[in-house]
Every structure is written in structure tokens, then in C-alpha cells.
Amino acid sequence: MRQRILVSALGAGALAVAGLTVQLTGAAAAPSPYTAGKHATELCAAPASAHAATCNALKLVDDKGVTPATTTPPATGLTPAGLRDAYKLTGLSAAGRTVAIVDAYGYPNLERDLGVYRAQFGLPACTTANGCLRVINQTGGTTAPRFDAGWAGEQALDVDAVSATAPDAKILVVQANSASFADLGTAVVTASKQPGVVAISNSYSGGDVSDAAYGSYYNHPGIAITASTGDKGYQGAPYPAASAYVTGVGGTSLARSSTTRGWTETAWSGAGSGCSAYNSALTVAASYDTGCAKRAGADVSAAADPNTGGMAIYYPTTKSSSTWAQFGGTSESAPIIAAVYALSGNTAGYPNSIPYTNPGALFDVTSGSNGTCPTTQWCTARTGWDGPTGLGTPNGAGAF
């Protein structure tokens, strides 16, 4: 599988990457298996066509491109307790509501690996036997698509992120036959028809396309549909995050600090942003000075920087073997936000409008950027709405 190096983090300071400047956290890092340096690589292959998607998961590897073998989570990885503390979610309950995850291809050991992750962090078991976990294909059947290591790693990140954010939520995984928009969209429709589903996470993106062609797959009032804005910085609006029916989720760098909150957040340099050329702007966003004539992204955001805020994940390296690593990308932030919607229990109408009516219940991210843009707020974090982080990150579930 072809993989491209996105970020190299060898220490504190500023690092130029593909014409951007990435600010690295200066705090001393916990012991890490990446002793020879680390950088992030993409898990999934590039889209096969203009009407297909790639997953937005990034994995830290060492300077030889290898994930160090470890039987325990990387000490630098974000834990469930840390994530819930950062976003003030501790003690909130999803009350058994279901978060659906849509991804491509099969993952035979998903239930086993999810069990390892949840046991490691003291989360309640989530199995098919106890009714917490269900895995189906894009038409609702039980015959799994073929295995793909990259997309299976994506699924591991997604189920672990939902588990970390909302440990008592039920999880439905719908596996599409391929990464085409048609197959992934069919899986979203199937997910929307399953009982108890209040949110559907889509940690993938492709090019900017029209809701006239694909919007029917994502148009499900009463269900929060979240989608990653991508990991390439400012490059225009990726689909399905650019859909008028979806909550587009950007990304941040998240680090512990001595602030009252206990954490600091800046816009992540890889967080996708931009304006759709095709899809309608959200009416509720009209007063937020997005600078876009049509749909603007992102709407909200959460941790996505694989180096600073990346999660410790248990994921498959082959069809039969799995290990620990540190993951990030907007594939981390999209399932986090889907799970926060489940914690809120508030998904009436089109839930992507809800944060715009209560932005004061979010942590506003006001520093950092993902590039240089003709309209400043498309790339640079500021007070209020901006492209990389939207309106901000969860401060409890009150904005959702």
C-alpha cells in the first residue's frame, strides 16, 4: 500500500512541512516506543476515482516507517479518561443510544480487538453477546466484505474513539463493499434504518461533489451525521463533510497544560477546510462570517493531531494480528463528535445546525492554522468560526 509522510516530529519548536509551519508542543513527552523519532503516515490508499473516498486515519511510525512492537498503549497516546476530561464529558451517559460507524471493507477481529482496548482502560465490555456491538455489511447482512488492512485500522480507531468518548453507547459498524461513494452511501442509509441509531460517523472523504448526486445518502433528519474534513489542510471542501446534511468535523492539537481547563488546543495544521463549489450554505451559519458563498467547513472539531492529541489505539497489522499504536487524523475527531451527540441525546431536525445556536457551550479554538488562504478565516483560527476548527470543540455536551 502506498503511504505518504505527512508530519515529522522530533522535538519542540516549529517544523516546515509542505510549505506549512507546524508548531510542536514543547512540554516533555512521556516515555515512548518511538525512540528514533516519529512521523505520521496515512493508513489508506488514495481514492481510486473521483467518486471514491479515502479514510482519514494517520498512524505514528518510527524513522524506518515501522510501528514499534508494544504490548501496552503508547504512553504519549490520549486515553479515554484524558479525552473525557479534556472535553468535560466525565460522568455523562449515552443511555444506551447507538453510534453507527460507516467504513469500507471487512475487519474479522474487530470484536476481539475492541475487547482488548476496553479492558486495557477499564471500560465496560462491548460485545455482540451483550448487545452492545453489532457488525453488518452495507445491505444489513452478516457476510463481511474482504479484508483491507488500512480500512480495518480505520475501523479500530473509530470504535475505540466512540468507546473512549461515550463508554455506555452501543456501537453499530456498517462495512461497505468498497470505498466508492455509492457503496459508502448505501452503508449510511442502512445504518440510518437500524433501531436506536442517533449518530453516524464517517471518517472518510473524497473530492467536493454535489448533494444533488449524493446527498440522499446523508439526508436523515433526527440522526447526527458526522464526517471528517480531511487531513490535507486547506484544499477546498471534501465530501461528505461538504454536504449540507452533515456535521463537518475539523481537527485540533490537544495537550495537557497548567490552565484552568487543564488542556490547551490549537488548530491542527492538517485539518481540512474550505468552501464547497456546489452545496448550499447552512442557513444558521449566515451570521458567522465564513467568507464562503456556499457550504463552509468545518462546523466543529476535536483532537486530530497524531502527535499531540493522537489516541492510543489497538489495531490490526494483518488479518490475524493486532498491536498498539498512536493514531490521529480527522478520523479521530469525527467519531468523537458523533459520540458527543449520543451523549447529548439531542438530534432533532438537522443536528449540524445545533452547535450554531449555542456556540458558548464550546471551547473556542483561537490560535493555529492549516495554511495560507485568500480569506483569512478559512485557514487561521480566530474567535468565533474558522475553517480548521469550526465553532470549537466540546465543553460538555451542551452545544450538541
Side-chain angles (χ1 to χ4, degrees):
M1 178 184 301
R2 181 172 61 88
Q3 294 182 321
R4 289 168 285 175
I5 296 174
L6 297 184
V7 178
S8 178
L10 301 179
L15 177 69
V17 181
L20 307 181
T21 297
V22 181
Q23 187 65 40
L24 302 177
T25 302
S32 169
Y34 305 96
T35 53
K38 56 188 177 182
H39 58 262
T41 62
E42 297 174 334
L43 250 66
C44 296
S49 74
H51 300 280
T54 186
C55 77
N56 290 305
L58 302 175
K59 178 182 69 171
L60 288 189
V61 296
D62 64 19
D63 58 357
K64 294 181 175 61
V66 175
T67 303
T70 175
T71 58
T72 57
T76 53
L78 185 63
T79 66
L83 188 156
R84 293 196 300 276
D85 179 67
Y87 295 128
K88 310 312 171 193
L89 304 172
T90 305
L92 298 184
S93 173
R97 301 180 189 99
T98 300
V99 177
I101 292 162
V102 169
D103 282 313
Y105 304 111
Y107 176 7
N109 290 315
L110 185 155
E111 182 173 9
R112 180 198 71 183
D113 291 354
L114 177 60
V116 172
Y117 177 85
R118 292 178 72 109
Q120 173 68 39
F121 293 111
L123 305 179
C126 185
T127 66
T128 55
N130 68 14
C132 173
L133 176 67
R134 189 176 170 215
V135 183
I136 58 177
N137 62 30
Q138 69 180 48
T139 57
T142 56
T143 301
R146 69 173 177 85
F147 173 75
D148 178 274
W151 280 90
E154 171 63 64
Q155 291 177 53
L157 171 58
D158 291 342
V159 297
D160 290 0
V162 170
S163 297
T165 309
D168 67 337
K170 294 180 180 178
I171 300 173
L172 169 70
V173 180
V174 186
Q175 299 170 330
N177 291 339
S178 77
S180 73
F181 280 153
D183 281 345
L184 289 164
T186 297
V188 173
V189 173
T190 295
S192 74
K193 295 178 179 178
Q194 306 307 305
V197 170
V198 298
I200 303 173
S201 175
N202 303 275
S203 290
Y204 55 85
S205 62
D208 184 18
V209 297
S210 172
D211 274 338
Y214 294 103
S216 61
Y217 291 127
Y218 300 94
N219 185 0
H220 304 290
I223 298 176
I225 314 291
T226 67
S228 303
T229 60
D231 301 339
K232 304 294 193 300
Y234 172 72
Q235 287 195 359
Y239 202 85
S243 170
Y245 305 117
V246 163
T247 300
V249 185
T252 66
S253 300
L254 176 72
R256 288 191 180 273
S257 71
S258 58
T259 62
T260 301
R261 176 185 170 189
W263 300 81
T264 57
E265 265 182 307
T266 59
W268 174 47
S269 62
S273 65
C275 307
S276 174
Y278 306 106
N279 301 319
S280 300
L282 300 185
T283 302
V284 73
S287 63
Y288 284 85
D289 184 28
T290 66
C292 295
K294 294 185 181 293
R295 181 73 164 98
D299 298 312
V300 292
S301 55
D305 183 343
N307 287 287
T308 311
M311 291 181 61
I313 296 299
Y314 195 72
Y315 82 106
T317 53
T318 68
K319 194 172 184 179
S320 58
S321 301
S322 299
T323 191
W324 290 95
Q326 189 165 321
F327 278 41
T330 50
S331 281
E332 177 186 358
S333 56
I336 289 172
I337 296 299
V340 174
Y341 273 111
L343 291 172
S344 78
N346 181 22
T347 58
Y350 287 100
N352 61 356
S353 69
I354 297 173
Y356 288 89
T357 65
N358 195 17
L362 294 163
F363 289 117
D364 193 3
V365 180
T366 59
S367 63
S369 72
N370 65 356
T372 302
C373 299
T375 302
T376 302
Q377 64 266 36
W378 294 349
C379 286
T380 303
R382 60 173 187 169
T383 300
W385 182 91
D386 58 73
T389 71
L391 297 167
T393 61
N395 180 4
F400 296 88

